[in-house]
Amino acid sequence: MNLVPEKVGAWLSDTGPEGDVVISTRVRFARNIEDVPFPGRMKFSEAELVLDTVHWALEESGYLKEGKFFEPGMLGQDDGLYFVERHLASPDFIASRSPRGLFVSTDERLSVMINEEDHLRFQALAAGLDFATAFKLAADLDERLETQLEYAFSEEFGFLTACPTNLGTGMRASVFLHLPALVLTREIEKVLRGAYAVGLLVRGIYGEGSETRGNLFQISNQRTLGQSEAEIIEVLTSVSRQIIDYERKAREYLMHNLRVEIEDKVFRSLGILRGARIISSDEATNLLATVRFGVILGIINELKMSEVSQLLVLIRPANLQVIIGEKLTPAERDERRATFIRQKLVR
């Protein structure tokens, strides 16, 4: 690979708007090429043609100069998981046996999957609650590719996609939230029910089918048909701002009424991370998320929020192996992960 293993994308910098609650914002478009069967129905030769065509379009649009294009032979299982853990590719894309390609910009804010569920799925990531930046990046890429490609489009249904739930705009917008106070005050279910009630989806940190860990949640639009891109973003922004407000009030409540208990939880988490000799990915994720909470509340001052957030990605199994440069067994990973975390957190 040609990316820097220990450098995580700019979208995880924690410098974006409302970065204490919203880790990142994502806008993703699904597109298909006219007169070519969807990936689930196309022949091997057609998949190769789509791959070559989109690769050419990216080159003509100038994007290949701004990142790295990974061809099928360059995307082994471990390398693929590395991109899934960085939120740059989906598990379904990595598991696919069709000819497929992946483009990732140098700063990891843009990525393009070729021959996933649709011919093209491309996304833009921005730090914090920043739909303006994420949408502009994705829309610019869409417009530049559209000058080279003929998209499958219907006047009645909008952009045609393999799954009916993506018809219309073909756009999924989402926010990646850290909501520890709402979980601790047991208000989270009520808040998430409110999101469901206005047609939004709540998922784990790696999207559909993934578990919720570290009090990290992903909220996205459910409908892509019958609403414009602007309307989808307006709803998500409004709901996100309400959740941010609830989370901050819950934090104030905890610090006013249960400060010692919260400090104990935070310092115990930091102590385990700094002292453990063996630690699993899930345990490390939960403890790091609690330490991030402690940094936000001002309980821990010697760490930056961004370095803790980036560790949430770097300690994942595939990323850890790429950083270390070795194929490890699960037991070896747990031991090397503990060492890696101590090196990062012990001052």
Side-chain angles (χ1 to χ4, degrees), residues 3-167:
L3 300 174
V4 181
E6 286 206 47
K7 183 179 178 184
V8 184
W11 57 274
L12 204 55
S13 64
D14 283 333
T15 57
E18 325 296 355
D20 60 316
V21 179
V22 184
I23 294 177
S24 65
T25 300
R26 182 187 76 147
V27 171
R28 189 216 71 193
F29 287 114
R31 297 286 186 263
N32 288 280
I33 297 173
E34 192 174 52
D35 296 330
V36 179
F38 294 137
R41 302 291 298 271
M42 65 185 177
K43 300 174 184 173
F44 191 87
S45 59
E46 291 170 326
E48 287 185 314
L49 177 63
V50 169
L51 178 59
D52 291 342
T53 302
V54 177
H55 180 269
W56 169 81
L58 284 166
E59 189 165 34
E60 289 295 308
S61 303
Y63 277 97
L64 293 191
K65 298 175 184 173
E66 303 169 15
K68 176 76 175 176
F69 188 86
F70 298 90
E71 297 177 355
M74 303 166 70
L75 286 172
Q77 187 68 14
D78 287 342
D79 290 344
L81 289 174
Y82 169 90
F83 292 112
V84 172
E85 292 172 359
R86 290 185 174 226
H87 303 270
L88 301 172
S90 70
D92 287 345
F93 173 74
I94 298 307
S96 170
R97 293 177 178 239
S98 295
R100 65 196 194 283
L102 175 69
F103 169 76
V104 179
S105 65
T106 303
D107 59 9
E108 299 186 9
R109 293 195 301 169
L110 281 174
S111 64
V112 181
M113 292 184 289
I114 304 169
N115 290 337
E116 205 241 27
E117 186 175 84
D118 296 287
H119 295 147
L120 287 109
R121 286 199 170 186
F122 49 90
Q123 67 169 27
L125 290 160
L129 180 63
D130 190 358
F131 278 112
T133 296
F135 181 79
K136 185 177 187 311
L137 285 168
D140 285 349
L141 173 57
D142 190 30
E143 289 175 9
R144 286 164 70 175
L145 288 176
E146 199 170 12
T147 63
Q148 310 297 333
L149 303 171
E150 193 74 30
Y151 287 151
F153 184 83
S154 160
E155 291 295 333
E156 184 178 2
F157 297 112
F159 290 101
L160 301 179
T161 54
C163 179
T165 59
N166 288 314
L167 275 175

Side-chain angles (χ1 to χ4, degrees), residues 247-258:
E247 169 66 18
R248 286 178 178 162
K249 285 179 178 172
R251 291 175 184 180
E252 289 175 9
Y253 171 83
L254 290 172
M255 290 304 284
H256 183 73
N257 296 286
L258 297 166

Side-chain angles (χ1 to χ4, degrees), residues 78 316-328 333:
D78 287 342
R316 303 297 299 169
N319 271 265
L320 186 69
Q321 289 188 146
V322 171
I323 290 168
I324 291 172
E326 295 178 33
K327 176 80 173 174
L328 304 171
R333 280 203 302 268

Side-chain angles (χ1 to χ4, degrees), residues 15 25 63 109 140 175 207 212 221 226 237 302 334:
T15 57
T25 300
Y63 277 97
R109 293 195 301 169
D140 285 349
V175 286
T212 298
N221 61 304
T237 301
E302 72 266 33
D334 289 351

